[in-house]
Amino acid sequence: MKIIVCIKQVPGTTQVDIDEETGVLKRDGVESKINPYDLYALETALRLKASCPEAQVVAITMGPPQAEQSLREALMMGVDDVVLVSDRRFAGADVLATALTLSQAILAYGWDTGLILCGQQTTDGDTAQVGPEIAEFLGIPHASNVTAIQEFSAAGLTAKVDLPATEETIRIPLPCLVSVNKGIHTPRLPSYTLKKASRDRKVRTITLAELPDSDPAHYGLNGSPTQVIRIFPPEHNVAHERWEGASETLAARLYENLREEKFLV
Amino acid sequence: MAEIIVHQEKIPDPSVVSALCPFGAIDVLDGKVLINAGCKMCRLCIKNGPAGAFELVKEQRAAVDKDKWQGIAVYLDQTDGEIHPVSLELLGKARELAGKVDQPVIALLAGAALAKAVREILHYGVDKLYLYEHPNLDHFRIEPYAAVFEDFIKRCQPAVVLVGGTAIGRSLAPRVAARFRTGLTADCTFLDIQKNTDLDQIRPAFGGNIMAHIRTPHHRPQFATVRYKIFSAPERLDAPRGEIIRVDMDDALLTSKIETLSASRKEPVKNIEDADVLVVAGQGIQRNENMALLEELAENLGGMLGGTRPVIEAGWLEPRRQIGLSGRTVKPKLLIACGVSGSVQFAAGMSGSDRIIAINIDPEAPIFKVAHTAIVGDVCEILPSLLQKIRAGEFVQ
Ligand SMILES: Cc1cc2nc3c(=O)[nH]c(=O)nc-3n(C[C@H](O)[C@H](O)[C@H](O)COP(=O)(O)OP(=O)(O)OC[C@H]3O[C@@H](n4cnc5c(N)ncnc54)[C@H](O)[C@@H]3O)c2cc1C
Ligand SMILES: Nc1ncnc2c1ncn2[C@@H]1O[C@H](COP(=O)(O)O)[C@@H](O)[C@H]1O
């Protein structure tokens, strides 16, 4: 049985700035890392494997060739196999096209009715939607906001779910998809031994041609119902007043103001 | 298929074009310019590159008949018959959008014991309320809820579907959007509608420093999720209105492989979204000990404490007090930001507040762009002095 973990490579820096004059996106450094939320999914998979020895953990990512680096990091954490899903015709994919690509790649890889784990969300896309859409494409049940997995076997799992007003414990049979919350387990650090051991390992790449549905119209920008019309820096034009001066004066002015406005009564 | 084509002959110097792409998707191999799978189709290379060098070639799509999709639909999020307030905010927005295209507001309510919820909802201006009431819908389980949602969409063919960005909405909306092979835009901060019912959706993108304006021009329905406190709740109408359509369900619709073993109500805690006044700590407050100053100020203002991400990460406040893109959205009557730089990710979660006062030592701090009152000064001096005055005036609400 395979536990597939979907991981995404995201920019390592928080600064994605737009140059207001030229409209060009600026990125200081193209340094990348595994989406921090996905580390929790990886850790969960590795722990489940420990309790279910017949399970094999596979990390899968869709992205440009450079995304191979994130798979190498997953190998260093101890996953058994990795798959890179990459083709320039996947470029420009929105949530729907990304989820279709990943679900198709999972089928192409040969997924024997196990578990799929996702992070709760990514730090760049930040939609938390890719997981549920993958489950829909594969026709399997899913649970999001999972805070703990209590029992796991080839038959299914018991999970704690954090819902808006309740905390629930549910039982889901395999195959299914689970998005785990941040903090479910502390992710382990990459191991040096595994790094050495996996250094020469070749990473398998799945391209469009290998997918069961290989119609290019379903992928990338073509397969994306949502279209970005334009991007722009956030604009805030509030009328504002500016107070400067000695701290004591500023404090006095703030005090008076909070009283006038009846915040202090 | 749509792709960006490179006209090599129009590129005088291939070595400089890589820099055009913020995503590193332009490679130069043996003097030839290639686009790799990192391309996000942002089209900046077309805009800023050598004239005519990059071209977007689009595929023709079969057009959807937009006239067949009418109405603005809202999914009403409920637990034990209690409607989540974000759903009311969405009803207000739906009414506004519906007015612009002269179409009805349609609502979907699914659950087990809904009589009270139904009565209440009719005070918020829906035209049609589709009611899916069944004991099997007592707990949220993805398959029956998605099936009911699918049934609803097939019955009313709405142009737009709005879903609250709660744990339930964020699980359900993508599932149903994928079922209809249509687009879903998460966490919109602004919504408007074109005459042809194309929904204008704006959300922070690419990590949040940039806003993206998104449309779903060739698909219906158009799904969008919106977080709590982005829009304002409409006034409660005195007289109930709206037609209730009770839908009979086939048992097959309600089957689920998931079994709910137990469900416990969460402690009703007061969340920062519900506070009228928020005192917000940023890294500029320097030390954990200074949290006591903010705490005392919040207490005197009858408010609560919130924080920026670094403050939460430092452990000075619990995670559910984080404001921003990866935290919560707040809209209090007063927000005092203390030592907060005002990153876009932070501002995305608070710029709708009625009154924003920011104290920051740096006159150029971005927070001053969103603040109504910009106080340039040292928070570690101003707060103690302010508290002294409050103490002398003997406030504590
Ligand atoms: C995808 C993504 C999501 C994110 N989500 C969030 C989010 O939800 N919420 C969030 O907050 N952040 C979020 N961030 C992080 C965000 O980019 C900023 O790093 C963060 O908001 C900065 O917090 P800060 O203002 O407390 O700290 P800093 O940026 O370090 O600012 C501290 C400020 O304090 C001022 N200061 C210093 N000393 C004093 C003094 N004595 N008196 C007065 N002022 C002083 C400084 O001038 C400075 O402006 C996110 C980032 C990414 C990439
Ligand atoms: N390109 C991708 N490759 C692999 N997994 C992904 C990709 N994008 C999203 N995911 C998975 O889906 C989760 C939610 O992502 P998002 O919907 O972008 O917030 C992530 O935590 C990953 O587990």
Side-chain angles (χ1 to χ4, degrees), chain A residues 14-15 123, chain B residues 207 281-284 286 307-311 322-327 339-343 345-346 359-362 365 377-380:
Chain A
T14 58
Q15 272 346 83
T123 55
Chain B
Q283 270 196 120
Q286 321 271 354
T308 63
R309 190 160 87 174
V311 165
Q322 182 180 325
I323 295 169
L325 192 64
S326 48
V340 174
S341 63
S343 68
Q345 293 88 353
F346 174 78
I359 309 175
N360 196 306
I361 206 160
D362 171 11
D378 187 337
V379 73
C380 306

Side-chain angles (χ1 to χ4, degrees), chain A residues 6-8 35 37-38 41 60-63 95 98 102 117-122 124-131 134:
Chain A
C6 300
I7 64 172
K8 186 178 182 189
N35 172 32
Y37 291 88
D38 297 345
I60 185 167
T61 190
M62 166 185 153
V95 173
T98 301
L102 285 167
L117 284 172
C118 282
Q120 187 57 39
Q121 65 198 63
T122 53
D124 64 343
D126 192 27
T127 75
Q129 295 173 345
V130 168
I134 294 174

Side-chain angles (χ1 to χ4, degrees), chain A residues 13 49 57 264:
Chain A
T13 63
K49 178 187 154 102
V57 178
L264 285 169

Side-chain angles (χ1 to χ4, degrees), chain B residues 339-378:
Chain B
V340 174
S341 63
S343 68
V344 176
Q345 293 88 353
F346 174 78
M350 51 67 82
S351 57
S353 308
D354 292 350
R355 170 114 194 269
I356 300 169
I357 299 177
I359 309 175
N360 196 306
I361 206 160
D362 171 11
E364 303 296 324
I367 190 72
F368 289 154
K369 289 195 198 135
V370 292
H372 305 96
T373 305
I375 305 182
V376 186
D378 187 337

Side-chain angles (χ1 to χ4, degrees), chain B residues 128-150:
Chain B
K128 286 183 179 171
L129 174 62
Y130 282 76
L131 188 60
Y132 291 80
E133 196 173 21
H134 195 287
N136 280 7
L137 293 170
D138 60 345
H139 293 293
F140 173 75
R141 286 177 302 169
I142 191 65
E143 311 102 305
Y145 270 76
V148 157
F149 210 140
E150 177 188 353

